[in-house]
Amino acid sequence: MAYTECIKNFERIRDYMREFYVYGFKTREEYDKKSSRSYDNEKRRMESYLGDYMGARYTPSGKQVFLSIDSREAVSNPLYRTWKTKSFTNADITLHFILLDILYTPKIAYTVQEITEKMDMEYLQCFDTPMVLDMSTIRKKLKEYVKLGLLEEQKQGRQIQYRRAKTLDLSAWKEAICFFAEADICGVIGSYIADTMADMPDGYIFKHHDITHTLESDVICTLFQAIQQQRMVQLQSVFRQKKQWREVVPLQIFIGVQNGRRYLMGYDCKKKCLQSFRLDYIGEITIKDISPHFLEYIAVLQEKKKHMWGVCCQPRKQLEKVSFTIQCTKEETHIVQRLEREKRCGTVTCVGDGLYQFYAEVYDTSEMIPWIRSFICRIVSLEFSNRSIENQFWNDLEQMYAMYDIKE
């Protein structure tokens, strides 16, 4: 099969994009998910999208190709380009331009039969070997464009007429669209809108810009639709290199504030419990029937959130407790404000002059370690009910001291 730049199924390239951009450490020989020819095709496809950001390093094991994108220099998210190269046939592209030309004037509407006749008489006859397009094919394309919002349908007697959808004037929203495209979790929608407008302003510059989540845009859109309609979904998740099909009732999307990683919190119908699923581990997803217990599961999740620091919500024998006290001067009120702002399900209490104690009871205290480390220079006392987690904390600290030759 010859190489083609366009793709039909985004799942085909999602894994390669993650390997090249998120990981970027495998050589051609080490990437064994597909054949070497598939690897070469996907690499050429990405070079056509993101050639300016492709790089390579040579190691003893071979040449490693990778993507490197500096968010300070990229005005807009370049990964959006991967969503705008869907494959098409000759009939698709022919129908696209002819239909939009016939329906160019928004006020004029035609039936399928009228569109077919105009197409045959005014367009296709101009060719020596005209393309044959039957009415059913045209009807399917019209239905597809109605679903996409490009066309509208209206009933006239017993017949259905089609016309071009009205165009909204979004010129006053250019700055908002630019911000939405780069900051929202479904920003690819804003990128599509921006492509239709001229003289867009320069993009925003972000200190922290998690662009890799662009690859999950279709997954998260489907999940939002299922949550809104209170439906179950069947999804394919990857666990320890193995793909598993799960039937889940999606309830809420969680986003990590430290690394931007996103999770689905949902009810696993097989395990009969709440479960978290990393969105970048989800592949195919299909919306199923309405869940009669959706509101019950939401109530359970709200109750569990009282003791959730991250996404762990499975109770062990008992809740794990953590308490630490920090010290700061009167001039460092911003430290206390930060503690209050980021305490989540914990509490903050003033226990002395410049001493503030944080206390929480959670399902898994290991999720708190990175956050607690950010106060390391101010902590005067620390205690975990889970001693193994506390020992891990101090061991990590000792290793850091040893690495930088710091004397306690």
Side-chain angles (χ1 to χ4, degrees), residues 372-391:
I372 295 175
R373 285 198 193 111
S374 64
F375 294 96
I376 197 71
C377 297
R378 302 179 181 277
I379 295 176
V380 295
S381 66
L382 175 68
E383 184 177 359
F384 287 82
S385 62
N386 187 332
R387 293 305 178 188
S388 62
I389 299 297
E390 183 173 348
N391 292 335

Side-chain angles (χ1 to χ4, degrees), residues 234-250:
Q234 188 178 45
L235 57 85
Q236 187 186 69
S237 65
V238 180
F239 181 71
R240 294 178 180 175
Q241 303 295 324
K242 294 183 179 179
K243 294 182 178 180
Q244 301 176 340
W245 284 100
R246 314 283 282 273
E247 194 167 81
V248 178
V249 180

